[in-house]
Amino acid sequence: MRTLVLACIDGSKYAPAVCDAAAWAALRLEAPLTFLHVLSKVREVTQSDLSGNIGLGSRESLLEELAELDAKRGKLAQEQGRQILAAAKERARAAGISEPTGLQRHGGLVETLAEREEEIRLLVLGKRGEAAEFASEHMGSHLERVIRSMSRPILVTTEEFRAPKRIMLAFDGSATTRKGVDMVAASPLFRGLPCHLVMVGADTSEARAQLARARQILEMARFDAPEVILPGEPEIALTGYQQENGIDLMIMGAYGHSRIRHLFVGSTTTEMIRNSTVPLLLLR
């Protein structure tokens, strides 16, 4: 089975950035690119949708009208999805992707992704979705469900995407971030880019030794890999380093066993993604 870059798109303002990020990744990885648009299940109209004391004939008539309205909404949503997919494929072709494909599915996003997980090499999402945008809210809880359910790397993009020139890896010595170092070293996704190794915590001999091993792996793969240990709270320290050093993309473990894990548990996931000004690549 060929692995691919899978990009989830909808009608939100993040869709163009998702297209650009996915096209960039697919070109770097020399992997096929597929766009996925998921239609939520159409609400079924039942008698419980109606309230108050109305006559049987009136109720049946209203139920029929509501059923017709839901059917029309479903058709409109399906057509809108087709147009979104067509626009995404056209944008990808303009970026250099020769044969992007599109999929439209009914159901839940998490369930749909779970069914296709084995073929996904990289999943690309916007940090907010269409429903959250209309509600003026962040899609944190929805996105967190995807992060928790997937074992594949997930690239969460901001409203605008530019090909990164500098990346940083939030390293804590855990199995997840050690795997992240190996991934960066072996993958063509970041080849030729400086990769800053940033650890937050006590500056101990063990921490220095862990960073040195990580740097050695990257340098053997011909990466420029500056390393640093920062004091303070992880979210503040990492964000500050990113801004001060012009980092274009951050790589982090979605779950860990150190203080960094608090960035990705519960509502903090939403806060980190909301406040980030650069794309995040989340690892499991």
Side-chain angles (χ1 to χ4, degrees):
M1 178 183 295
R2 290 203 306 166
T3 56
L4 52 82
V5 174
L6 184 66
C8 300
I9 58 170
D10 55 16
S12 76
K13 62 184 179 182
Y14 287 84
V18 170
C19 293
D20 295 345
W24 168 80
L27 288 171
R28 298 278 294 192
L29 294 171
E30 297 184 349
L33 172 58
T34 295
F35 293 103
L36 173 67
H37 181 262
V38 177
L39 291 166
S40 299
K41 294 179 181 178
V42 177
R43 178 179 61 90
E44 294 182 359
V45 179
T46 66
Q47 292 186 7
S48 61
D49 292 322
L50 306 177
S51 61
N53 295 321
I54 59 176
L56 179 61
S58 298
R59 182 169 60 184
E60 290 179 348
S61 175
L62 186 52
L63 281 170
E64 290 176 0
E65 291 181 16
L66 287 171
E68 291 177 3
L69 180 59
D70 277 350
K72 290 179 180 178
R73 286 173 177 167
K75 290 180 180 179
L76 286 173
Q78 193 171 23
E79 178 56 31
Q80 181 191 38
R82 292 194 189 101
Q83 293 181 14
I84 290 172
L85 287 171
K89 290 189 290 183
E90 183 61 30
R91 191 178 182 99
R93 280 191 285 266
I97 303 295
S98 59
E99 297 181 0
T101 59
L103 292 173
Q104 188 175 68
R105 293 291 183 265
H106 289 80
L109 176 60
V110 174
E111 294 74 19
T112 302
L113 291 174
E115 293 173 358
R116 311 190 69 90
E117 184 169 7
E118 290 302 315
E119 63 182 319
I120 298 174
R121 183 171 181 180
L122 175 68
L123 177 64
V124 184
L125 296 167
K127 60 189 284 187
R128 281 177 62 173
E130 187 174 21
E133 189 172 301
F134 284 117
S136 298
E137 296 175 356
H138 187 269
M139 65 173 289
S141 60
H142 197 145
L143 184 54
E144 186 176 351
R145 285 187 62 213
V146 173
I147 295 169
R148 287 183 178 275
S149 66
M150 300 289 291
S151 61
R152 296 294 190 263
I154 301 174
L155 178 59
V156 181
T157 185
T158 47
E159 190 175 340
E160 294 184 5
F161 179 84
R162 295 186 299 272
K165 297 180 180 180
R166 295 183 186 86
I167 64 173
M168 65 176 277
L169 193 154
F171 184 79
D172 64 358
S174 67
T176 300
T177 54
R178 292 198 305 271
K179 180 180 177 181
V181 171
D182 293 336
M183 183 212 71
V184 171
S187 174
L189 188 61
F190 302 116
R191 190 165 296 156
L193 303 181
C195 179
H196 294 235
L197 287 167
V198 183
M199 178 179 279
V200 180
D203 190 345
T204 65
S205 58
E206 176 59 24
R208 287 288 175 186
Q210 290 176 337
L211 272 179
R213 286 193 292 269
R215 187 192 69 243
Q216 184 178 27
I217 292 172
L218 290 176
E219 288 181 343
M220 289 179 64
R222 299 185 178 181
F223 279 86
D224 179 17
E227 62 176 81
V228 64
I229 297 178
L230 302 174
E233 293 299 318
E235 182 177 353
I236 297 173
L238 293 173
T239 301
Y241 187 90
Q242 174 265 314
Q243 294 174 347
E244 292 170 5
N245 292 273
I247 302 298
D248 304 305
L249 184 145
M250 298 172 63
I251 306 169
M252 312 184 79
Y255 299 97
H257 300 286
S258 72
R259 294 169 66 200
I260 288 181
R261 77 180 296 275
H262 296 296
L263 294 174
F264 297 99
V265 176
S267 61
T268 313
T269 302
T270 302
E271 292 302 317
M272 186 65 185
I273 296 173
R274 175 189 288 134
N275 294 328
S276 177
T277 57
V278 297
L280 297 174
L281 179 61
L282 306 181
L283 306 176
R284 292 296 307 276

